[in-house]
Amino acid sequence: FGLPISRAEYAKTRRNLKIENKAKIPESSSGSKSKMSQLQTLIKKEGVLQASATLFTNLFPLWVAGGAAIALKYPNSVTWFQGHYVTSALSLTMLGMGLTLTMSDFKSALEMPAAVMLGVLLQYTVMPFLGFTIGRLLNLPPELRVGLVLVACCPGGTASNLVTYIARANVALSVVLTTISTCLAAIMTPLLTQILVGYLVPVDAMAIVLSTVQMVALPIALGVFLNRYFPDQVTVIKPLCPVFAVASVALICSSVVGISSADILSSGLLLAAAVGLLHAGGFLLGFCLSKLVGFNNATSRTISIEVGMQNSALGAVLASQHFASPLTAVPCAISATCHSCMGSFLAGCWRFLDEYTSPEVGKTVTYKF
């Protein structure tokens, strides 16, 4: 403490201190270190699994597009996925959606009634109108026109929640809109389909209602119940729900494409144009009308994504079950690839715009409704 000492004495003192400190370490510390090492390894392992699941889910457009390409080239590789496989996969996907929901998610709709009402209204007006109009203007064959209108009358797809997150919009609002539009689908989808294309082909609205209740409403209700009364068990399987949903949608759409691969190749360009215009119009009108009403960018982006992205898997299953021609399900299958790619691209553009205009957006901004 201020007394002059030589460098040799200073070095000797430091060595003695190190020896004393080592002697004071209890023997159990090695066991503690070993346990800490095991805990860190376990945490790291869980992190890798979760990261892998997230990456797989984020690449949703790639799996759908890749599955469709394989189905066109090798139809027999995916056409086995039919019948009860399809209905079971969709029901389990809706069950997984229900497992992620709580009663508070439904209560949150009361906190932003204007945005919820507008989103649901546009979902069941803009898209059916676009599907009907585009089908007539492009003079699509009756089967394809019915399929285009059917997918336009479907509720918002669960992938919209992921795209909303990427776009830095409001995920809570997206979840509420998807949930409400999906619950209303049991009535709205068959009703609008019968009104718009019932003159082209027979539409058994009641059969579609029953199918939608069985494959959508009941699984979601069961999922909410399980999440409420068995939260510990649900927590274990919840991370796998998005992975299963992505795989199911990719398989369903690939199967539909494989069954009608020859017809798709013969009329692919016209049909792709019709589906592309449908979703582009949904994204554009959803955003513009929301801004026109006076909502901010975050809310307008969310509503745009919800309106532009449909539950194409539900449309494909309903088309396969309730319409004689397999071509009716084709627009639904192409829709899954189209809206996934367009929505992801749009979300990436919005995210890039935020980064370019304000690097801190998404970190400090709180969205209000």
Side-chain angles (χ1 to χ4, degrees), residues 285-326:
L285 291 177
F287 184 82
C288 293
L289 293 175
S290 300
K291 292 293 289 183
L292 185 64
V293 172
F295 286 112
N296 59 23
N297 281 336
T299 304
S300 299
R301 290 180 184 181
T302 304
I303 294 176
S304 169
I305 293 169
E306 285 298 317
V307 174
M309 300 186 70
Q310 302 295 93
N311 192 335
S312 305
L314 174 61
V317 175
L318 293 177
S320 300
Q321 287 189 339
H322 300 288
F323 295 94
S325 174

Side-chain angles (χ1 to χ4, degrees), residues 82 142-144 146-147 150 200-204 208 259-260 263 316-330:
Q82 298 185 49
E143 297 86 356
L144 296 180
V146 171
L150 177 60
L200 289 175
V201 294
V203 177
D204 191 343
I208 297 178
I259 292 171
S260 304
D263 296 303
V317 175
L318 293 177
S320 300
Q321 287 189 339
H322 300 288
F323 295 94
S325 174
L327 283 177
T328 308
V330 173

Side-chain angles (χ1 to χ4, degrees), residues 68 140 180 205 359:
L140 291 178
I180 293 178

Side-chain angles (χ1 to χ4, degrees), residues 189-214:
T189 299
L191 177 63
L192 291 171
T193 303
Q194 185 177 43
I195 291 173
L196 295 175
V197 293
Y199 69 95
L200 289 175
V201 294
V203 177
D204 191 343
M206 185 53 63
I208 297 178
V209 168
L210 294 176
S211 295
T212 309
V213 169
Q214 292 172 359

Side-chain angles (χ1 to χ4, degrees), residues 3-202:
L3 297 176
I5 60 174
S6 65
R7 291 185 178 180
E9 291 174 340
Y10 175 72
K12 182 179 179 180
T13 303
R14 289 197 56 166
R15 285 196 299 271
N16 292 336
L17 287 173
K18 287 182 180 180
I19 294 173
E20 290 176 4
N21 289 336
K22 288 182 180 180
K24 292 178 182 179
I25 297 176
E27 293 180 2
S28 61
S29 65
S30 60
S32 299
K33 287 183 178 181
S34 176
K35 291 179 180 179
M36 285 297 294
S37 177
Q38 293 176 3
L39 180 61
Q40 290 172 355
T41 302
L42 180 61
I43 293 174
K44 184 177 180 181
K45 181 180 179 181
E46 291 294 327
V48 169
L49 291 176
Q50 184 61 48
S52 300
T54 302
L55 177 61
F56 181 86
T57 305
N58 290 347
L59 293 175
F60 171 68
L62 177 63
W63 307 133
V64 176
I70 293 173
L72 285 175
K73 184 69 174 178
Y74 307 103
N76 293 333
S77 64
V78 291
T79 51
W80 58 270
F81 195 78
Q82 298 185 49
H84 68 277
Y85 290 118
V86 173
T87 55
S88 299
L90 182 62
S91 298
L92 289 174
T93 298
M94 293 297 103
L95 175 64
M97 177 181 174
L99 292 176
T100 65
L101 299 174
T102 62
M103 292 308 298
S104 61
D105 293 321
F106 295 93
K107 293 178 181 178
S108 63
L110 300 177
E111 301 174 1
M112 38 188 169
V116 172
M117 289 177 62
L118 179 65
V120 175
L121 177 64
L122 295 181
Q123 179 72 59
Y124 286 116
T125 54
V126 168
M127 292 302 281
F129 170 77
L130 286 174
F132 176 78
T133 304
I134 292 169
R136 293 202 65 175
L137 290 177
L138 296 182
N139 197 25
L140 291 178
E143 297 86 356
L144 296 180
R145 194 185 307 180
V146 171
L148 187 68
V149 170
L150 177 60
V151 73
C153 295
C154 284
T158 53
S160 62
N161 306 146
L162 171 63
V163 174
T164 299
Y165 174 76
I166 297 173
R168 286 177 171 166
N170 190 282
V171 179
L173 176 60
S174 176
V175 170
V176 170
L177 287 175
T178 302
T179 303
I180 293 178
S181 68
T182 302
C183 292
L184 291 175
I187 297 175
M188 298 303 295
T189 299
L191 177 63
L192 291 171
T193 303
Q194 185 177 43
I195 291 173
L196 295 175
V197 293
Y199 69 95
L200 289 175
V201 294

